Amino acid sequence: SSGYESETEASESDAENDVITEPPERGEPEKVMRYKSTNALCDHLKFILSMPELCDVTFLVGERRVPVHGVKAILGARSAVFYKIIMDSQRKFEQRDLPDGSSISKRRKLKIEVNKYKPEDFRYLMQFIHCGKVKIGNSNLPGLLCGAYQFALPDLKTACWDFVSYSVNNGNVSKLKESTMYYKDHGAGRKLLSKLTSGSEKSMLVKIEL
């Protein structure tokens, strides 16, 4: 499964309960209910991202250095690439001391510059990493795809390519190509442009043949 699902499918899955049988202490079977409610968890994690005081890392994204917040523990657990970036940045950060001799890390939050993403796209990427779900559309797909490759998020990568295939098969590539131009310097962005160009050319050939 790519993890790319409709909102209806997601809500049905989240409401699902499992009943399992486990042996109690005296060796007799006892039925217990396992309950899960991931929608509430996702909402709470998304809320955390909107509250800078609850986050411990800030990414300064793009030329305007727009702040996008995150939680180091979640980022490191979800992406080995983010783990390395955060740990390397943390070590450099802790080596900086203030004039009074106190550590700068005790007074200020870790900040990391991210130059090659649109702030809104990077914010969607943070939402996916923290909450496990995100809405993919023509405007944010290129940024999400580049992020999936750069930060080693295979489930998001699969979901993005599923959306690309859907767009190509339905001849809806013009808006997607337009938003991809911002990421033409990313390896994944160039790969996406090539896919969209070849896909649109095949679509034209089919129309001509018909």
Side-chain angles (χ1 to χ4, degrees), residues 2 33 57 59 70 76 106 110 133 140 169 188 194 199:
S2 67
M33 184 178 75
V57 59
F59 297 93
K106 294 179 180 179
L110 179 64
K133 63 180 181 180
N140 69 353
N169 292 338
S194 176

Side-chain angles (χ1 to χ4, degrees), residues 61-198:
V61 187
E63 295 180 358
R64 295 183 289 115
R65 295 168 59 86
V66 177
V68 178
H69 307 288
V71 178
K72 290 186 289 186
I74 297 176
L75 288 162
R78 294 271 283 156
S79 166
V81 177
F82 264 121
Y83 175 81
K84 186 177 186 308
I85 291 172
I86 289 171
M87 290 298 99
D88 289 346
S89 300
Q90 188 74 49
R91 280 191 289 270
K92 294 177 182 178
F93 193 63
E94 290 174 350
Q95 290 173 356
R96 298 166 57 192
D97 295 325
L98 294 173
D100 60 6
S102 61
S103 173
I104 194 170
S105 62
K106 294 179 180 179
R107 295 195 181 184
R108 295 180 58 191
K109 186 183 302 183
L110 179 64
K111 295 182 179 180
I112 301 173
E113 291 187 6
V114 178
N115 298 317
K116 296 183 178 181
Y117 287 84
K118 292 180 179 179
E120 56 270 29
D121 292 347
F122 198 80
R123 191 172 285 112
Y124 277 117
L125 183 65
M126 288 295 103
Q127 180 183 324
F128 173 78
I129 293 175
H130 287 75
C131 305
K133 63 180 181 180
V134 67
K135 291 182 180 179
I136 300 176
N138 290 325
S139 61
N140 69 353
L141 180 137
L144 288 174
L145 182 65
C146 290
Y149 273 91
Q150 182 172 355
F151 302 111
L153 303 167
D155 46 351
L156 179 59
K157 185 192 304 182
T158 301
C160 287
W161 283 120
D162 285 348
F163 185 88
V164 172
S165 296
Y166 172 82
S167 298
V168 170
N169 292 338
N170 288 274
N172 302 322
V173 298
S174 58
K175 291 183 178 179
L176 193 51
K177 286 176 69 175
E178 182 179 343
S179 57
T180 303
M181 291 304 297
Y182 184 89
Y183 295 95
K184 65 184 187 313
D185 292 331
H186 281 255
R190 290 192 294 271
K191 184 175 181 179
L192 177 56
L193 279 173
S194 176
K195 171 73 173 178
L196 295 175
T197 301
S198 62

Side-chain angles (χ1 to χ4, degrees), residues 19-43:
V19 178
I20 61 174
T21 300
E22 292 181 350
E25 293 181 1
R26 295 184 179 181
E28 294 182 359
E30 178 185 352
K31 285 188 176 181
V32 297
M33 184 178 75
R34 181 190 295 120
Y35 174 74
K36 61 180 180 180
S37 178
T38 56
N39 270 341
L41 175 61
C42 288
D43 289 341

